[in-house]
Amino acid sequence: MNPVLTVRQLGKSYGGRAVLDGVDLVVEEGEIACLIGPSGAGKSTILRCLNFLETPDRGEITFGGERLCSEDGNLFQISPRRQLQAARARMPMVFQHFNLFSHRTVLENVMEGPCVVQGRPREEARMMASAHLDRVGMLGFAQHYPDRLSGGQKQRVAIARALAMSPALILFDEPTSALDPALVREVESVMRDLSRDGLTMIVVSHDMRLVRSIASTVHFCAEGRIAASGPAGQMLGSQAPLSMRVFLEAVSDLAGQE
Amino acid sequence: MLDFLAEAGEYLPFLLRGALVTIELSLVAMLFGTVTGFFIALGRRARTRLLRWPLNAFVEIMRDTPLIVQLLIIYFTLPRWGLTLGAFPAAILGLSLNLAAYVSEVFRSTINAVDRGQREAAISLGMSGVQLYRRVIMPQAGLAALPILGGYFIALLKDCALVSFISVNELLRNASIVISDTFDGGNIYLLVAIIYFIMSFASSRLILHLENRLAHNRRSGPDRMSGTVPTMEKEAVR
Ligand SMILES: Nc1ncnc2c1ncn2[C@@H]1O[C@H](COP(=O)(O)OP(=O)(O)OP(=O)(O)O)[C@@H](O)[C@H]1O
Ligand SMILES: [Mg+2]
């Protein structure tokens, strides 16, 4: 087995309050690791610390064989900015609110990373971007601006933008939770396709249908830690740990009320 | 009326030469003021107080004292401290610095207004700080600033009249020269007003046109490059 990402004892505090309190996580190549758990558990913070959108304050992150931050005794060290930027380019993020560049067309959004960050020639980037847009079913909208798209379409473009980086890992933070129920399926089906193609992903989601359909491992987060982890079949089945079953019942109750 | 026309014909070339200087001053001060203002806005976002604090003070002082006093100080007081500037450079310096203070406020708010999510998206693609500004923040903050900067240009065009006090031969000062020659102010001032009006009106139309074109480029969407999509589709399939 070949871990893409190894996280050990990751910690992060805001104003003295520990939001992450020793997170351990290993993600293998081709794995789809789903993080679930109650609101405020620190799931988004975990993702944002992995690509240093937030700066963790202790622990170790190893990504693609490179140490991004490390702890040696009491000394917590973060790699130089250049190295973090290079790591981010191979670990793009898909956000809850899409965050497409509003002043660029769909095609330009997807070309942006390859052209600007990777320095690829425009023609090559354009061809690659078109292929990725095709893959998410958005090639027909290449020349549109984001404000003309539905939420589901925007999210598919955001996924294409991440794919265009030839990533080793894609981070998803609640990719379907800002979408109307009718639009959730199109994003789900794109993500299912990606999971079949062997992409490595970490997916934070409250959408249990999505989790059930793509997860290879499930990690249950509570109070700034990963309280339980395991293969999806086991974690989502009847032998799930108690805390997890309580959470799942609460979630399905909520879903039932809607 | 005939009097007025005759007078106008006689002094118009001289007045227009002044108007040309006014336009020159406005364009140069606009350019320097905008560029300086942009960098002041960036400096005021810096992490170190060493940069933020003096720039904040500068902006505050420029906005809380009259432009005419600033011009007088640059032209008459600075020489006592060993910095002597000719009238035209002094005028450019004063107008530019004053404008820069206001422009920095404009950029400060339009830069702040750029969607946080888009910044995070750019950073999480691996962009550096410079790339983030060049590719994401400036195109949006710049476009948002444009109408306000346009308004400032019109104001600047008229504020240039103040530099007649430090003996730059622009439109108003040339008018004063004519008047001290002829001892008749009435009609000349009317002519000056008309020239200012024409300059401002033409500028505001031009700026409006520019804004519309930029907005149109951005909005024209799929039609703008129609024809490219099918070819790309072919490439993608291959
Ligand atoms: N910038 C911040 N400053 C202070 N506290 C923060 C900040 N960001 C997050 N927190 C706190 O950290 C905790 C974890 O937040 P986080 O967003 O990671 O939770 P989450 O598991 O993603 O929740 P949700 O399911 O609602 O998205 C919350 O209690 C939140 O209030
Ligand atoms: Mg969250």
Side-chain angles (χ1 to χ4, degrees):
Chain A
M1 276 297 185
N2 205 355
V4 174
L5 179 81
T6 311
V7 179
R8 283 191 33 223
Q9 287 300 305
L10 190 69
K12 168 79 183 167
S13 310
Y14 288 112
R17 194 169 74 87
V19 169
L20 298 186
D21 187 16
V23 171
D24 292 308
L25 179 68
V26 177
V27 179
E28 309 282 348
E29 203 173 310
E31 180 176 335
I32 292 138
C34 288
L35 306 190
I36 61 174
S39 190
K43 305 178 298 294
S44 299
T45 309
I46 293 175
L47 284 196
R48 295 167 61 84
C49 282
L50 293 182
N51 70 357
F52 291 81
L53 274 182
E54 304 285 345
T55 313
D57 39 41
R58 66 187 179 86
E60 279 182 9
I61 300 176
T62 310
F63 172 61
E66 268 181 51
R67 208 42 80 78
L68 301 183
C69 65
S70 58
E71 207 166 64
D72 191 6
N74 267 339
L75 187 66
F76 176 67
Q77 268 189 321
I78 296 174
S79 292
R81 192 160 31 172
R82 285 277 152 143
Q83 200 184 337
L84 296 185
Q85 284 163 6
R88 284 179 185 134
R90 291 181 296 124
M91 169 175 30
M93 189 161 186
V94 173
F95 299 85
Q96 182 175 0
H97 296 287
F98 330 121
N99 299 356
L100 295 179
F101 303 126
S102 57
H103 60 302
R104 301 201 185 281
T105 62
V106 163
L107 183 69
E108 289 165 346
N109 262 277
V110 181
M111 289 169 62
E112 192 69 5
C115 284
V116 176
V117 177
Q118 300 175 334
R120 287 182 197 275
R122 282 192 78 77
E123 267 322 298
E124 185 192 326
R126 188 192 301 275
M127 287 215 286
M128 275 177 37
S130 307
H132 290 302
L133 283 174
D134 201 22
R135 190 170 173 189
V136 299
M138 287 298 294
L139 186 55
F141 295 85
Q143 303 301 333
H144 285 251
Y145 280 90
D147 58 3
R148 293 213 187 160
L149 306 180
S150 73
Q153 293 172 331
K154 284 183 196 168
Q155 197 59 300
R156 286 188 281 153
V157 174
I159 292 172
R161 179 172 67 177
L163 288 172
M165 303 305 288
S166 321
L169 169 68
I170 304 185
L171 309 173
F172 291 83
D173 192 2
E174 306 204 24
T176 58
S177 60
L179 301 177
D180 289 341
L183 302 177
V184 168
R185 303 240 172 187
E186 63 188 66
V187 172
E188 273 181 12
S189 100
V190 165
M191 292 183 64
R192 227 174 2 252
D193 288 346
L194 299 185
S195 73
R196 287 200 199 103
D197 293 346
L199 251 100
T200 313
M201 317 191 247
I202 302 181
V203 183
V204 167
S205 185
H206 289 285
D207 177 352
M208 289 314 292
R209 197 180 57 194
L210 174 67
V211 171
R212 279 176 205 282
S213 78
I214 64 171
S216 45
T217 55
V218 171
H219 306 264
F220 178 62
C221 306
E223 291 167 15
R225 286 173 214 240
I226 294 190
S229 297
Q234 183 189 323
M235 290 289 286
L236 300 171
S238 52
Q239 327 89 303
L242 181 64
S243 59
M244 172 88 184
R245 283 209 307 270
V246 171
F247 171 73
L248 287 180
E249 270 162 34
V251 171
S252 64
D253 280 357
L254 273 182
Q257 282 166 17
E258 270 168 19
Chain B
M1 188 66 195
L2 276 178
D3 263 14
F4 176 70
L5 287 179
E7 223 172 346
E10 189 177 342
Y11 297 113
L12 199 58
F14 185 61
L15 291 179
L16 287 182
R17 239 176 295 148
L20 211 60
V21 174
T22 296
I23 292 172
E24 233 169 72
L25 277 170
S26 310
L27 288 175
V28 176
M30 190 72 205
L31 183 70
F32 286 170
T34 304
V35 172
T36 313
F38 172 66
F39 283 106
I40 291 175
L42 287 192
R44 292 174 79 192
R45 297 174 62 88
R47 234 165 268 157
T48 86
R49 214 173 302 181
L50 239 57
L51 203 55
R52 249 172 24 221
W53 201 87
L55 290 175
N56 285 340
F58 168 81
V59 170
E60 213 48 53
I61 291 168
M62 294 313 267
R63 297 203 309 159
D64 295 346
T65 53
L67 172 58
I68 178 67
V69 175
Q70 294 163 13
L71 289 167
L72 293 173
I73 288 176
I74 288 171
Y75 191 58
F76 293 111
T77 313
L78 286 191
R80 297 203 177 181
W81 300 349
L83 182 67
T84 308
L85 292 173
F88 192 83
I92 292 288
L93 184 67
L95 292 170
S96 302
L97 289 184
N98 183 272
L99 183 66
Y102 287 92
V103 166
S104 84
E105 288 286 283
V106 174
F107 278 123
R108 191 168 72 125
S109 70
T110 62
I111 288 173
N112 279 338
V114 173
D115 173 30
R116 216 185 105 121
Q118 291 185 40
R119 291 169 201 259
E120 290 189 344
I123 291 169
S124 67
L125 287 177
M127 282 196 199
S128 66
V130 174
Q131 289 169 335
L132 168 68
Y133 265 85
R134 260 197 23 236
R135 304 293 307 178
V136 178
I137 296 182
M138 276 326 291
Q140 298 188 44
L143 195 67
L146 209 63
I148 312 170
L149 295 182
Y152 282 5
F153 182 75
I154 310 290
L156 178 63
L157 203 64
K158 291 173 287 179
D159 281 350
C160 280
L162 292 176
V163 307
S164 61
F165 283 92
I166 60 170
S167 71
V168 176
N169 290 323
E170 44 65 73
L171 177 53
L172 185 62
R173 186 166 151 90
N174 278 9
S176 311
I177 292 170
V178 170
I179 288 161
S180 62
D181 262 15
T182 60
F183 302 103
D184 175 16
N187 286 339
I188 298 295
Y189 282 131
L190 194 60
L191 203 54
V192 166
I194 292 169
I195 296 173
Y196 271 119
F197 178 81
I198 291 171
M199 290 195 298
S200 299
F201 190 74
S203 308
S204 68
R205 291 291 116 164
L206 207 69
I207 291 162
L208 207 66
H209 178 70
L210 194 74
E211 271 166 36
N212 283 339
R213 265 198 35 193
L214 282 173
H216 178 73
N217 269 348
R218 169 161 152 35
R219 288 293 142 195
S220 54
D223 318 328
R224 175 159 56 110
M225 297 168 97
S226 59
T228 57
V229 174
T231 35
M232 283 184 319
E233 230 153 5
K234 262 184 258 142
E235 282 163 356
V237 169
R238 258 192 278 139

